[in-house]
Amino acid sequence: MLSSLFRKHPAPVTPPPTAASAALRAPGDPTVLQAEAGPDAAAWVGLHREELREALVEHGAVTVQGLGLRTAADVASVLHRVADRPVTEREAFAARDRHAEGVYSSSAWPPNQLMCMHHELSYALECPGLMLFACLVAPTTGGATTVADSAAVLQALPAELVERFEREGWLLTRTYNDEIGATLSQSFGTEDHDTVEAYCRAHDIDWAWQPDGSLRTRQHRSAVVRHPVSGLRCWFNQIAFLNEWTMAPEVREFLVEEYGPDDLPFNTRYGNGDVVPQEVVEQINSAYQAHTVRRAWQPGDLMLVDNIRTAHSREAYEGPRDVVVAMADPVRVNHLGRAES
C-alpha cells in the first residue's frame, strides 16, 4: 500500500562581465554564482574548481547558473571535475535510478509531499562530503531543493536537547523488506546474506534476519559532528527525518496498525533507547524551518552542497521535475563525532 511513497515500480541575478561572478547573496537567499560556460560545462567547472570549492567552504551551499546541463552524462562529467572520489550509495532509504558512478536520480518521493530536512546518509558510518544537484527539467511550481546551515540550526536548538543528543547520540532502527523503502538489493547492492552481514560488521550495524526473510538493523550514531575542514560543530543526523512523528498522520497510523508501535519499518530514538517525544521532533523541524533558504530551479542549474555543513530538503511540486543527484568525497564519522575525509 505504501510502496508508492518510497519506491519506483528568487529572480535571476545579473552578473558582472567575468567568467564567474563573485558570490551573490541577499539575506535569507542561497549563494549564487553565474557561469559563462559556453558549450562545455565540465571544462568550465574544472577551470573554476578552486573558486567553487572555496565558495562552498565559506557558504555551505552554492548554486551555479548558466552551465546549461541537459543530461545525466553532463552531470557525471561535472562531478569528475569538481570532486575527487564519487560515492556509491549504500544503505539507501528510498529507491533511485543509477546513471553513472556516484550519479543517481532523485529519491522516489510523492511530488505532493514535502521531504523533510536531512543530511544525505548521515546514519551511515561513511557518507558523502559533497552533494551535487543538477536541474535538467524544472517543475511548473515548487520543487526547490532547499538548504539549511547545520551550524546555525545547532545554535537555534534548546541547549538541553543538544546536550542529551551530543552525550548519547541517536539510534536508528530499520527493516529492509519488499514493502516499504529501498529493498535489500537497492540498499546494499546484493541480496547475499553473507555479504550484507560483512557490510554491517564493518559499519557498526547490529542486524537480525527475521522469520519472513526481512533484515532488521540497529545503528548508533553521533548527532553533533565537527566539520572536517572548519571544525564547526554541526547538527548532523536524521533524527527528525526518520522519526515516526515526522510522518504524515495517516501514514504513521497505518504503519503503527500494520507493524505495531515498537516495530515500525524505520524510527529513531535517543542513544540510550528512550523514545524521542513528538515535541522534540517538532522543535528540530522548527529550527530547520527557521533557517531554510530556497531558490527556484531553472533548467541547467547546478547546486553544490557541503553535506556536513548543510542540510537539504525538497519542496512539494507540480509538473515534471528531473533533478539529478551526485555524491562524492566520502567522509567517515567516528564515535566521537569527528568527521574525517
Side-chain angles (χ1 to χ4, degrees), residues 12 56 58 63 80 126 161 181 194 237 256 262 274 300 324 334:
L56 192 61
E58 182 178 356
T63 295
H80 286 284
E126 188 172 271
L161 183 156
D194 290 341
N237 55 70
V256 169
D262 296 323
D274 286 352
V324 173
N334 66 27

Side-chain angles (χ1 to χ4, degrees), residues 47 131 189 221 248 286:
L47 182 63
M131 301 290 297
R221 298 292 182 251
S286 294

Side-chain angles (χ1 to χ4, degrees), residues 177-210:
N177 55 34
D178 293 328
E179 298 175 358
I180 294 175
T183 64
L184 195 68
S185 179
Q186 289 166 339
S187 294
F188 294 97
T190 180
E191 294 186 358
D192 179 74
H193 285 202
D194 290 341
T195 305
V196 171
E197 290 175 11
Y199 178 94
C200 291
R201 221 176 274 115
H203 291 82
D204 293 343
I205 300 172
D206 296 327
W207 76 90
W209 298 102
Q210 304 303 298

Side-chain angles (χ1 to χ4, degrees), residues 159-172 218-225 233 235-237 239 268-277 280 334-337:
E160 64 275 11
L161 183 156
V162 171
E163 190 278 331
R164 179 169 183 183
F165 276 115
E166 191 164 23
R167 183 179 72 250
E168 296 182 6
W170 63 291
L171 290 174
L172 170 64
R218 180 177 181 272
Q219 52 212 93
H220 182 272
R221 298 292 182 251
S222 299
V224 178
V225 169
R233 293 170 65 247
W235 180 252
F236 179 76
N237 55 70
I239 293 166
T268 61
R269 290 178 178 262
Y270 286 107
N272 71 348
D274 286 352
V275 171
V276 179
V280 169
N334 66 27
H335 68 286
L336 299 174

Side-chain angles (χ1 to χ4, degrees), residues 25-318:
R25 186 174 191 174
D29 287 343
T31 301
V32 178
L33 299 174
Q34 189 72 27
E36 295 176 1
D40 194 339
W44 185 94
V45 168
L47 182 63
H48 297 283
R49 172 186 165 118
E50 293 308 314
E51 297 169 57
L52 293 171
R53 299 296 297 229
E54 288 171 8
L56 192 61
V57 169
E58 182 178 356
H59 301 287
V62 179
T63 295
V64 184
Q65 292 192 315
L67 290 176
L69 300 170
R70 293 181 174 85
T71 68
D74 292 341
V75 181
S77 296
V78 166
L79 175 66
H80 286 284
R81 295 297 186 97
V82 76
D84 296 321
R85 290 179 291 164
V87 168
T88 298
E89 185 179 40
R90 288 290 180 261
E91 302 180 54
F93 174 69
R96 300 182 191 270
D97 296 325
R98 183 180 183 274
H99 297 303
E101 184 183 12
V103 182
Y104 300 88
S105 67
S106 296
S107 298
W109 198 265
N112 64 342
Q113 293 185 21
L114 169 74
M115 181 179 284
C116 180
M117 277 288 175
H118 63 286
H119 299 263
E120 203 70 30
L121 298 176
S122 56
Y123 48 79
L125 201 61
E126 188 172 271
C127 66
L130 174 66
M131 301 290 297
L132 276 66
F133 299 89
C135 179
L136 308 184
V137 178
T140 306
T141 58
T145 300
T146 59
V147 294
D149 186 309
S150 61
V153 170
L154 178 67
Q155 292 298 316
L157 289 169
E160 64 275 11
L161 183 156
V162 171
E163 190 278 331
R164 179 169 183 183
F165 276 115
E166 191 164 23
R167 183 179 72 250
E168 296 182 6
W170 63 291
L171 290 174
L172 170 64
T173 56
R174 290 184 66 177
T175 299
Y176 297 86
N177 55 34
D178 293 328
E179 298 175 358
I180 294 175
T183 64
L184 195 68
S185 179
Q186 289 166 339
S187 294
F188 294 97
T190 180
E191 294 186 358
D192 179 74
H193 285 202
D194 290 341
T195 305
V196 171
E197 290 175 11
Y199 178 94
C200 291
R201 221 176 274 115
H203 291 82
D204 293 343
I205 300 172
D206 296 327
W207 76 90
W209 298 102
Q210 304 303 298
D212 63 0
S214 63
L215 175 69
R216 185 79 169 168
T217 62
R218 180 177 181 272
Q219 52 212 93
H220 182 272
R221 298 292 182 251
S222 299
V224 178
V225 169
R226 287 197 176 273
H227 193 279
V229 176
S230 67
L232 275 174
R233 293 170 65 247
C234 299
W235 180 252
F236 179 76
N237 55 70
Q238 287 181 225
I239 293 166
F241 178 52
L242 294 175
N243 189 273
E244 61 182 297
W245 295 112
T246 297
M247 301 177 198
E250 65 275 13
V251 173
R252 180 183 178 276
E253 182 180 345
F254 171 83
L255 292 179
V256 169
E257 182 177 343
E258 188 76 6
Y259 297 98
D262 296 323
D263 293 305
L264 297 177
F266 53 90
N267 206 357
T268 61
R269 290 178 178 262
Y270 286 107
N272 71 348
D274 286 352
V275 171
V276 179
Q278 182 177 2
E279 58 267 25
V280 169
V281 176
E282 290 173 350
Q283 285 178 313
I284 295 170
N285 284 330
S286 294
Y288 278 132
Q289 185 176 5
H291 290 84
T292 294
V293 295
R294 73 177 300 280
R295 185 179 182 84
W297 279 119
Q298 297 183 33
D301 283 359
L302 174 71
M303 180 188 286
L304 289 80
V305 174
D306 180 326
N307 190 41
I308 306 295
R309 168 78 180 274
T310 306
H312 67 274
S313 68
R314 192 220 69 193
E315 296 177 335
Y317 66 93
E318 295 180 357

